Amino acid sequence: CGVDTCFTNPGTSEMHFVAALDQVPGIRCVLALFEGVASGAADGYARMSERPAATLFHCGPGLGNALANLHNARRACVPLVNIVGDQAVRQRPLDPPLTADTEGFARPVSCWVKTCEDTAALGAEAALAVRAALTAPGGVATLILPADTSWNPGGVVAAPLPAPAHPPLDPHSLEQAAAMLRNGKRTLLLLAGRALLERGLRTAAGIAARTGAQIMAETFNTRMQRGQGRPTIPCVPYVVPTAVETLAAFEQIILVGAKDPVGFFAYPDQPGRVAPPAARIHILARPEHDPEAALAALAEDLGAQPQAGEKRETPPLPAKDAPFTPANIGQTLAALLPEGAIIVDESISSRDPLVKALAGAAPHDHLCMMGGAIGEGLPLATGAAVGAPGRKVYGLQADGSALYTVQALWTQAREKLDCVTLVLSNRKYAILQYELKKVGAKAGQTALDMLSLDRPDMDWIRLAEGFGVEAARTDNTARLADLLREAAKRPGPFLIELCL
Amino acid sequence: CGVDTCFTNPGTSEMHFVAALDQVPGIRCVLALFEGVASGAADGYARMSERPAATLFHCGPGLGNALANLHNARRACVPLVNIVGDQAVRQRPLDPPLTADTEGFARPVSCWVKTCEDTAALGAEAALAVRAALTAPGGVATLILPADTSWNPGGVVAAPLPAPAHPPLDPHSLEQAAAMLRNGKRTLLLLAGRALLERGLRTAAGIAARTGAQIMAETFNTRMQRGQGRPTIPCVPYVVPTAVETLAAFEQIILVGAKDPVGFFAYPDQPGRVAPPAARIHILARPEHDPEAALAALAEDLGAQPQAGEKRETPPLPAKDAPFTPANIGQTLAALLPEGAIIVDESISSRDPLVKALAGAAPHDHLCMMGGAIGEGLPLATGAAVGAPGRKVYGLQADGSALYTVQALWTQAREKLDCVTLVLSNRKYAILQYELKKVGAKAGQTALDMLSLDRPDMDWIRLAEGFGVEAARTDNTARLADLLREAAKRPGPFLIELCL
């Protein structure tokens, strides 16, 4: 069915599947030391290759370890096919220790779950799983494979099933959107999904130029094409009062694959929705529609031509003695970013100045962790590198988040992936120290200890080298430039600890 | 309700809970860099302290990261109370990115799940959660706490609820067991749970001496008291044909908290149950009964007196040039093990010779990972050290398994826990290479690559030091003895890589 890449951490019940990997030429199988690395990598792979990867996990608890990043993948709307080996059908009623409610583990993250107990049906079920994953907007399909289904005779390779087309756009909704863009009111086009690839951005920029509407992206995005020659659009701010203030100007919001914007969390005395209560919200395209087609149809109706971004020069390096701030780190990276780079953004509390600085860099893809479950950055970068060979991946990686799935570094080393990880090392859960204040909770020393990562400090060079990845450390802007130049030239993974 | 220890990896929705930690004197809160460390530590804590710890996790995906070790805790039948912060009740319908089916994540591992949406009811729900966790044989209770339930006014501290007593033993079942032990047939007493603490072992040994029955433990055990002065009993072998052969001698099996023994996995052409099909299986005590009381009642009926183990001297150190095998490693550890040590056993493929050698060591507790979800060893050791201060913890840790939750080393360093980790470093998933053969799958190079941990080799000294734990490496029996002597003297964590 076109799936040729498998991210895995297998166990006993998957041994026949593992052995079969050698029987199909061209299958690439990538080992992870922890399941959450494999699931996050499958997400990153799908974002860049636009095809589903398979994962291979061991029983309910193995799938359990993958769930946080499967949640992120679900929110990213990427296609992904989990194969979960499980107890043999005949062993299951005996309830050996590793028996668990595997379907129960799978359901909260999956658009499709099936336990296949019949070897003859297995091929067809696998084809259904791939089709389910590919059904717009893309989702996580989980095929559970008891060990005896694997080893029994009678398996049949099934024909691939075509992925269903996007549902058609509602012409009435399109007419309404066009009418709104002509009615003179202050209007926002809020984009998500594939609308943020270059073609969609250019179409949207043309509509904005033609109508005076503004365009904006959701706070976090699966894949946004940014940099020189591309329209730069702002994202809805993360901070609720700032988002409310930013959106207050709009009387109308047209959603193109995006959702009515809401706060990432609730806070006492702050609203849940961040758009003005009186603003008219109009859905042009739901996530399962084709947002590029929706924008194209709208542009045609309005007589708008696609527009490139304004011309920009590569920004200069900051002064050699510039302070080592996220803004200057971002500017340094922007100055040196190779064309076609992939930015994987789990920068959390350092995010805004980094994202801002990178708008002026060479053309690149920008990927965010989508479900709010921190610990996807390193796996996402790993999978993006597998899915887009020849392109350099730069991870903007908060230190606290990196530690959830730090084992990904080993997979980067084994697969010799071109991943440069920039660890933003502030030795604390800075975002939580911020959130603690925002929710109005008063903290003493015990509480503050739960939000700090010191005593002992992590040694990122030793951690990286322990997993086979070369590493360096700096707290100096000029030295960072040297390290980035070096990293751009060398193949394989490299990690730079940025001591903030 | 007597819960004074919390293992946590918190997020925004838990900030009020975190802040409250400073308002209750005597609460110990232990930070983990990854949720699976916290859940495995709560398991280890409960095994040694015989009290539940709380965990604190962030939304469905944070709980997701904890699930594999919660599965292990469920199989260990320990009391454990999860507190899972979640989206505010009013925010939930808006479906922000981190919203998930938190109850769905919790159910497969929990004996009790409740989302509390009413601040006034929260105290009473917490008391119910603790009671559910403490209800025999012990289980995982999950209380989900939306952020606004935390910050709304009106909370009331509730009175603790007494844990329900064990259900009474069935006198008829007791009579039958006694009759079986008198009928002259070849009989096995199969023990689990608290029957494996010193008192139960002595009672069972007395019954065996009186009746000619044999005693045995399940393959893996939550906590077994072993070493000098204690009856040494064998475990049901892990390998199915060996288990079948071992049990073939018995015409009757009396279960004391144990289950009818089954293979850990199914294999083609091997049975699921490993007891002789014709053997009579009799349940004296289910897991929820009191196995110590059941053994005592049985002993009284039979007129059996408790028996200590046979007297044994501490084994000598192996010869200085003895080969560096698991057997000699085990003998070295046995010779030097301090009295009252805690062995945490995730030794997987090196297990049998290590366990055998330790039978002659000073009295100690032996804890196994119970649910088959590898990656609990380091967290379990961490929690056992918190739950039994003043006792030295030795982790027998397979390298592949250690890598799932290697972040536990940092918590050991931060809390200055007396944990000595012996990494059995064979640089492969040796158990899977073995299982691959057993299931009859034929592997090529791609498959074998998925079962090996080389290219690159992990550097365990760098990994440990990266997390703030001092470490050493050896492939020499005499040097291991030196390192163990040194480790026994120094406080805080230490890691020794054993290059096999």
Side-chain angles (χ1 to χ4, degrees), chain B residues 62-422:
Chain B
L63 176 61
N65 278 335
L67 288 176
N69 282 337
L70 290 174
H71 166 85
N72 286 328
R74 173 173 81 90
R75 290 295 189 180
C77 298
V78 299
L80 194 162
V81 179
N82 291 317
I83 309 291
V84 185
D86 210 346
Q87 294 290 359
V89 175
R90 65 171 167 85
Q91 195 76 355
R92 193 168 179 85
L94 304 177
D95 195 39
L98 198 39
T99 312
D101 178 6
T102 309
E103 290 190 2
F105 280 114
R107 261 184 218 106
V109 296
S110 304
C111 64
W112 186 96
V113 179
K114 182 75 192 278
T115 303
C116 182
E117 302 193 347
D118 173 6
T119 304
L122 179 55
E125 296 287 4
L128 282 167
V130 177
R131 188 178 67 171
L134 284 168
T135 300
V140 175
T142 302
L143 178 60
I144 300 166
L145 192 50
D148 43 2
T149 308
S150 265
W151 75 52
N152 283 339
V156 187
V157 175
L161 297 170
H166 290 283
L169 289 166
D170 174 4
H172 182 64
S173 172
L174 188 65
E175 273 167 38
Q176 280 186 302
M180 288 167 75
L181 286 162
R182 287 191 184 101
N183 69 10
K185 291 191 177 164
R186 293 185 304 278
T187 305
L188 174 67
L189 272 175
L190 186 58
L191 312 185
R194 291 182 58 89
L196 299 170
L197 302 188
E198 185 161 356
R199 195 167 65 158
L201 289 169
R202 289 184 174 216
T203 310
I207 294 169
R210 175 82 180 180
T211 64
Q214 287 190 42
I215 50 179
M216 207 175 278
E218 290 188 322
T219 309
F220 298 103
N221 296 287
T222 297
R223 181 178 175 189
M224 182 162 10
Q225 295 193 313
R226 299 185 84 225
Q228 295 160 13
R230 291 164 172 174
T232 303
I233 68 172
C235 297
V236 175
Y238 173 83
V239 175
V240 171
T242 315
V244 169
E245 193 183 306
T246 304
L247 298 182
F250 298 106
E251 297 165 285
Q252 311 182 124
I253 300 180
I254 297 172
L255 303 174
V256 187
K259 292 167 72 175
D260 184 8
V262 300
F264 206 84
F265 295 110
Y267 302 96
D269 311 319
Q270 289 183 15
R273 292 181 59 233
V274 295
R280 176 179 173 191
I281 308 289
H282 177 74
I283 300 170
L284 172 62
R286 294 185 187 277
E288 64 269 27
H289 288 123
D290 179 347
E292 292 174 310
L295 287 171
L298 190 59
E300 190 183 343
D301 191 313
L302 295 162
Q305 296 302 316
Q307 287 217 339
E310 53 177 317
K311 288 224 165 164
R312 276 163 303 184
E313 298 293 313
T314 301
L317 282 171
K320 287 207 168 185
D321 57 352
F324 200 60
T325 59
N328 285 328
I329 291 167
Q331 192 180 331
T332 307
L333 182 59
L336 298 172
L337 198 76
E339 183 164 346
I342 300 163
I343 297 284
V344 172
D345 177 4
E346 194 170 68
S347 52
I348 317 281
S349 58
S350 308
R351 185 170 185 244
D352 288 350
L354 290 169
V355 171
K356 191 174 168 196
L358 284 165
H364 63 273
D365 285 275
H366 188 109
L367 320 184
C368 297
M369 175 262 295
M370 292 301 290
I374 60 172
E376 199 188 19
L378 291 173
L380 203 57
T382 305
V386 174
R391 296 178 65 175
K392 203 90 183 170
V393 180
Y394 291 81
L396 306 177
Q397 185 58 60
D399 56 350
S401 307
L403 290 162
Y404 289 74
T405 47
V406 64
Q407 303 93 331
L409 293 172
W410 182 81
T411 300
Q412 294 180 2
R414 178 178 253 209
E415 300 289 329
K416 302 183 175 64
L417 300 175
D418 288 335
C419 294
V420 181
T421 302
L422 304 176

Side-chain angles (χ1 to χ4, degrees), chain A residues 9 75 90 267 404 414 449, chain B residues 9 90 95 267 404 449:
Chain A
N9 184 269
R75 290 295 189 179
R90 65 172 166 84
Y267 302 95
Y404 289 74
R414 178 178 253 208
D449 281 350
Chain B
N9 185 269
R90 65 171 167 85
D95 195 39
Y267 302 96
Y404 289 74
D449 282 349

